[in-house]
Amino acid sequence: MTIATAARPHLWRRLAAEFLGTGLLVAIVIGSGIAASCLSPYDIGLQLLENSVATALGLTVLILVLAPVSGAHFNPVVTLADWWLGRRTGHLPLVDVAGYVVAQILGGLGGAALANTMFETATSFSTTERVAGGHLVGEVVATAGLVLVIFALARTRRGHIVAPAVGAYIGAAYWFTSSTSFANPAVTIGRIFSDTFAGIAPASVLPFIGMQLAGGLVGILLVVLFFPTTRPPAAPRLA
């Protein structure tokens, strides 16, 4: 989920990284959700704790491993924000954006299938309805905050801490947002195929994605407001 470096790998390598990273992220979310349901079947709070810790740690590792290849977006909203904020420099061409989004969605579907296979769970549509006013607002907040965290750090040349910062933010957002912070259209689509508390019913997907895109726009506006240009971090005060 970081800004890619100037000497970027070939597009097919970046797309493969986005496919793998998004797939493993969804496998972590769904797999830990299945495990939590088995380990703590009567304690929803403990299930959420197990799910959120696994997701936060797993996401941090995936970003650290794959950021040098593709920037580790794993999220169409992050890709769109990266394109928009860097459009004047041609940082991420539209053809790359389209490829990233397709790779992320396909990766999310593959990750759901992988998690279900590992736990020998039938792949079926989720029955967990999530469309409610509070949940939709939660998705705007979660996604806006995610975009702000990533690009605030990138624009102040603190990209080396994006991985732990994003992991920490997503882990916290599981708890402080009513929607449990999906904040990612590709992950949302993948979670259709998990009939556990980590899943989302197909009818809830489009409203969630709509709010995630709205949250991404809010996040971009906040980045432009607070960090209009890329700049070095402030020098430490010695006295």
Side-chain angles (χ1 to χ4, degrees):
M1 292 185 175
T2 61
I3 303 299
T5 58
R8 64 180 63 185
H10 192 278
L11 178 59
W12 74 264
R13 293 185 188 276
R14 288 182 279 134
L15 297 184
E18 287 297 301
F19 174 85
L20 177 64
T22 310
L24 290 177
L25 175 57
V26 172
I28 290 167
V29 172
I30 293 178
S32 63
I34 296 171
S37 297
C38 295
L39 294 170
S40 311
Y42 306 112
D43 192 331
I44 299 298
L46 186 54
Q47 290 177 12
L48 184 61
L49 176 62
E50 293 159 350
N51 191 212
S52 63
V53 169
T55 301
L57 294 177
L59 177 57
T60 299
V61 172
L62 289 174
I63 295 172
L64 287 171
V65 171
L66 293 173
V69 182
S70 67
H73 294 186
F74 312 149
N75 186 334
V77 171
V78 174
T79 298
L80 289 170
D82 195 8
W83 165 72
W84 180 259
L85 291 170
R87 68 194 186 282
R88 291 189 177 88
T89 62
H91 164 71
L92 192 68
L94 274 176
V95 65
D96 291 18
V97 171
Y100 270 47
V101 171
V102 171
Q104 291 156 358
I105 292 173
L106 292 178
L109 295 174
L114 175 61
N116 289 329
T117 300
M118 287 192 295
F119 286 91
E120 299 182 342
T121 301
T123 299
S124 58
F125 289 119
S126 174
T127 57
T128 305
E129 298 286 348
R130 295 182 181 271
V131 174
H135 289 175
L136 297 179
V137 172
E139 278 303 283
V140 174
V141 172
T143 312
L146 175 63
V147 170
L148 178 60
V149 168
I150 294 169
F151 292 97
L153 294 176
R155 286 197 162 198
T156 53
R157 302 189 186 279
R158 293 177 292 165
H160 60 286
I161 62 171
V162 165
V166 168
Y169 175 79
I170 291 298
Y174 258 84
W175 292 89
F176 76 74
T177 63
S178 57
S179 64
T180 67
S181 183
F182 282 47
N184 185 330
V187 171
T188 301
I189 292 170
R191 288 170 74 166
I192 293 174
F193 300 98
S194 175
D195 196 14
T196 67
F197 80 95
I200 180 171
S204 301
V205 169
L206 286 181
F208 258 53
I209 291 177
M211 293 303 100
Q212 290 158 3
L213 293 172
L217 178 59
V218 172
I220 289 172
L221 293 175
L222 291 173
V223 171
V224 173
L225 174 64
F226 294 120
F227 309 97
T229 58
T230 300
R231 62 178 184 271
R237 302 182 70 176
L238 302 179

